[in-house]
Amino acid sequence: MFSEDITGRSVVDRRSEELRFMAEYSWETLLALYRRFAELRKGIVLSNVDEYIELSGDVSDLFKAGALVRELVDVVKRILVRMQRVSIDVVKIESYVVRGRVLVQLAAKLFPSYVPVRVTEYRIETPANLLLVLTVLETLEAFKSSLRRLYSVNATEMMKVFRDIVARELRGAISLCEYLLGDPLIKPLVLKASLILGNERKIRDLERVVELECVRRRRELYVYEELLKYRRLLKDKVRIVKKLAEQLHKTFLIEVSPEKLYEIYGFTLVLGSLIEYFKIDDRWKIDVDEEGKVIVFESPLRAEKIKIAISYNAIPSSVKSRFAAAKAHGLIEDGIPEVKNIQGLPDTIIKVEKSGERRLVIIDYKYSRDPSYLVASRYKVYGYLHEFDADVSALVAPGFAYDKVSEDEAYRQTGFYQTAQEKGGAVIHVDSGGKILALIFAPPIRNEVDDVKKAMLAFLRTALPL
């Protein structure tokens, strides 16, 4: 009994670890997509049965919090090199060391104990520099406020991982702001800028003064023009950040089943491998369709034109099911108009267009190690191969539990699945027409993900030869 309890707990613990890893990998992959492609402005929608996990366009801006602050860091560094300084003459009374121009008229009164001198000092407390420090403070406050809002709403277990990843991005942005405020040239102005923070009237007045100075003394103050541009950008971002809790409230409450999470994990795994395989970088155009369900990449114009569309629980335009034009009639009475509704909906469809040719790949993900279920799922993806006239179809699953074989059909196929699992999966050339059926084993385990990626890249080399 005791050993059974230990076994049961180990299975639960393993499943819990798998779920957390899948959530971390999935959200981090999507976050990396927004980081890597600055022109990606639209949101991505992930279907979750009868609702959607939506990374809206506004939330995508939040993912770029770090990029926004890094841009501010660049602006500040450029300003620090040519920071505006104001020279003023100050009278000082020196006792031992004379530095500066001696004021003869006053010397008679103080000599020999003291010598009055006039020295020139350079101060950095100017409207432009004050606005610079104020901008850093405003950015810092915006992201601190966002972080507070982030944790003011509840979240389901799997969405807590998503929330923590977003929070980590915000904390990174906050650290960069605090780093800037610690600079020796900026630190002396922090207190005075803090007194203005939040006072919109005084901030507007300060902006107008700096804008006018930049026009009048552009040769000296041109570096501050970038600061003014950044502030215009910041206002939009702050508005977005303030809406964070409201936008994410519904998303955080979504219950994501283990099976659905594995689908999202599989999709992000394929997406990342696709980007690596085709060497997609920021020179490529990236877009998302109007429903947010299909991501489209287009290669640079100077290269051979390649267009790649990848979807999750959606069928890209121009991809048709044989059932789309099908007709049905009843055996006793005629007319069944709902026949279109029985067409399949694969988890992922990849369409690659290159040199006038098209390759179509269909992938389904199943979070199961049950032999009978996987055998049935393999038949399902084989059906997709013909329903959508695809070139390749594949089943992605975490593994094959040989000790749970209970049906004759699954038992007869055990040898194949066992060997395939040892090799990361298998590619089956179905017929002489070139159609391919593949099986990819992708256990959601952190220390095995590198092997899974190797298997995925090997699959793509077969499915989508360059």
Side-chain angles (χ1 to χ4, degrees):
M1 179 69 179
F2 182 70
S3 62
E4 288 180 1
D5 288 343
I6 293 177
T7 303
R9 283 200 301 272
S10 65
V11 171
V12 170
D13 290 344
R14 184 191 71 179
R15 188 174 176 84
S16 178
E17 288 176 8
E18 288 185 351
L19 293 176
R20 182 163 188 85
F21 171 69
M22 286 192 288
E24 288 177 354
Y25 185 91
S26 300
W27 304 135
E28 285 176 351
T29 300
L30 291 172
L31 173 58
L33 192 70
Y34 282 100
R35 277 183 185 147
R36 188 170 185 175
F37 299 98
E39 70 175 74
L40 181 55
R41 308 298 306 166
K42 298 178 182 176
I44 296 173
V45 174
L46 304 173
S47 172
N48 184 45
V49 191
D50 60 346
E51 57 189 347
Y52 296 97
I53 301 170
E54 184 174 357
L55 306 180
S56 72
D58 283 348
V59 174
S60 72
D61 279 319
L62 176 65
F63 286 161
K64 297 170 184 174
L68 178 68
V69 178
R70 284 188 290 274
E71 184 177 334
L72 175 60
V73 170
D74 291 339
V75 170
V76 172
K77 284 181 176 178
R78 285 193 288 272
I79 287 176
L80 290 178
V81 174
R82 301 181 61 86
M83 197 165 191
Q84 182 189 17
R85 292 171 173 81
V86 177
S87 62
I88 59 172
D89 287 339
V90 178
V91 176
K92 288 188 175 184
I93 307 299
E94 300 284 1
S95 55
Y96 298 105
V97 180
V98 176
R99 288 168 296 190
R101 301 187 303 276
V102 176
L103 299 177
V104 178
Q105 293 177 345
L106 296 177
K109 297 180 180 180
L110 301 173
F111 191 80
S113 300
Y114 302 100
V115 177
V117 297
R118 184 185 300 277
V119 296
T120 301
E121 289 188 351
Y122 293 92
R123 295 184 179 177
I124 60 170
E125 188 178 310
T126 67
N129 292 335
L130 202 57
L131 186 65
L132 171 68
V133 179
L134 183 63
T135 302
V136 179
L137 286 172
E138 285 178 321
T139 306
L140 176 62
E141 180 56 33
F143 290 126
K144 277 187 173 180
S145 173
S146 178
L147 191 61
R148 290 192 294 269
R149 287 169 178 263
L150 200 64
Y151 283 97
S152 69
V153 296
N154 294 322
T156 58
E157 281 303 310
M158 290 304 101
M159 297 312 293
K160 281 179 182 177
V161 177
F162 172 65
R163 183 178 66 182
D164 290 345
I165 291 172
V166 175
R168 190 170 65 211
E169 180 78 2
L170 288 172
R171 288 193 182 98
I174 288 169
S175 295
L176 281 173
C177 289
E178 291 173 340
Y179 159 76
L180 288 176
L181 293 174
D183 186 277
L185 287 175
I186 290 179
K187 198 172 183 178
L189 299 176
V190 171
L191 180 59
K192 187 161 186 178
S194 299
L195 298 175
I196 305 173
L197 187 65
N199 189 324
E200 293 185 9
R201 183 182 62 80
K202 286 188 176 181
I203 292 172
R204 282 197 301 270
D205 290 343
L206 187 61
E207 282 181 331
R208 281 194 287 267
V209 169
V210 176
E211 286 172 358
L212 189 59
E213 282 189 350
C214 284
V215 172
R216 289 175 174 172
R217 302 161 57 196
R218 189 174 187 280
R219 182 174 296 180
E220 300 172 52
L221 303 181
Y222 71 91
V223 287
Y224 292 88
E225 291 178 348
E226 293 183 49
L227 176 65
L228 294 171
K229 290 178 184 177
Y230 175 87
R231 288 188 60 78
R232 288 191 285 272
L233 180 65
L234 178 64
K235 288 178 182 178
D236 290 335
K237 295 295 183 291
V238 169
R239 175 184 56 79
I240 291 166
V241 165
K242 286 180 178 178
K243 292 165 56 181
L244 173 66
E246 292 78 7
Q247 290 179 348
L248 293 181
H249 185 265
K250 183 180 178 181
T251 301
F252 285 163
L253 295 177
I254 292 176
E255 289 284 355
V256 183
S257 69
E259 293 73 23
K260 178 57 65 173
L261 185 59
Y262 188 76
E263 288 182 11
I264 296 173
Y265 167 69
F267 171 71
T268 55
L269 186 65
V270 171
L271 177 62
S273 298
L274 198 67
I275 290 172
E276 182 179 348
Y277 177 62
F278 281 98
K279 296 180 174 58
I280 298 173
D281 55 27
D282 55 9
R283 294 174 300 169
W284 287 55
K285 289 183 180 179
I286 181 171
D287 198 7
V288 179
D289 76 338
E290 61 276 4
E291 293 185 344
K293 298 176 182 178
V294 182
I295 304 172
V296 180
F297 299 99
E298 289 189 55
S299 62
L301 291 175
R302 61 179 174 274
E304 183 179 16
K305 195 65 177 176
I306 303 174
K307 185 175 182 180
I308 303 168
I310 177 171
S311 66
Y312 174 71
N313 275 171
I315 301 176
S317 60
S318 79
V319 176
K320 304 296 182 184
S321 163
R322 293 182 187 274
F323 287 101
K327 296 180 180 179
H329 63 82
L331 295 176
I332 297 177
E333 293 185 10
D334 196 16
I336 304 179
E338 293 84 4
V339 64
K340 292 182 180 179
N341 296 334
I342 68 171
Q343 70 178 25
L345 182 60
D347 292 332
T348 290
I349 297 177
I350 302 172
K351 183 178 70 171
V352 177
E353 296 172 298
K354 177 183 175 184
S355 303
E357 297 184 359
R358 188 200 78 163
R359 293 282 290 181
L360 195 65
V361 179
I362 290 178
I363 305 174
D364 243 28
Y365 317 101
K366 301 298 178 187
Y367 187 44
S368 175
R369 294 173 171 86
D370 180 80
S372 298
Y373 184 68
L374 293 180
V375 169
S377 298
R378 194 257 298 166
Y379 290 141
K380 180 181 179 181
V381 296
Y382 180 71
Y384 282 154
L385 192 63
H386 295 281
E387 179 182 344
F388 291 92
D389 192 24
D391 300 287
V392 182
S393 65
L395 172 65
V396 178
F400 190 90
Y402 316 110
D403 57 335
K404 294 184 178 180
V405 176
S406 59
E407 294 182 356
D408 290 343
E409 186 174 23
Y411 180 76
R412 286 189 290 105
Q413 298 181 21
T414 297
F416 166 78
Y417 283 98
Q418 184 172 2
T419 305
Q421 182 165 285
E422 291 171 357
K423 300 180 183 300
V427 174
I428 306 168
H429 297 273
V430 178
D431 55 33
S432 58
K435 289 191 181 294
I436 294 172
L437 178 65
L439 177 64
I440 305 167
F441 286 106
I445 301 172
R446 193 179 302 276
N447 60 7
E448 294 187 30
V449 72
D450 288 340
D451 289 337
V452 172
K453 289 179 180 178
K454 288 178 184 177
M456 188 62 70
L457 287 171
F459 163 70
L460 292 176
R461 282 193 291 269
T462 300
L464 299 168
L466 293 174

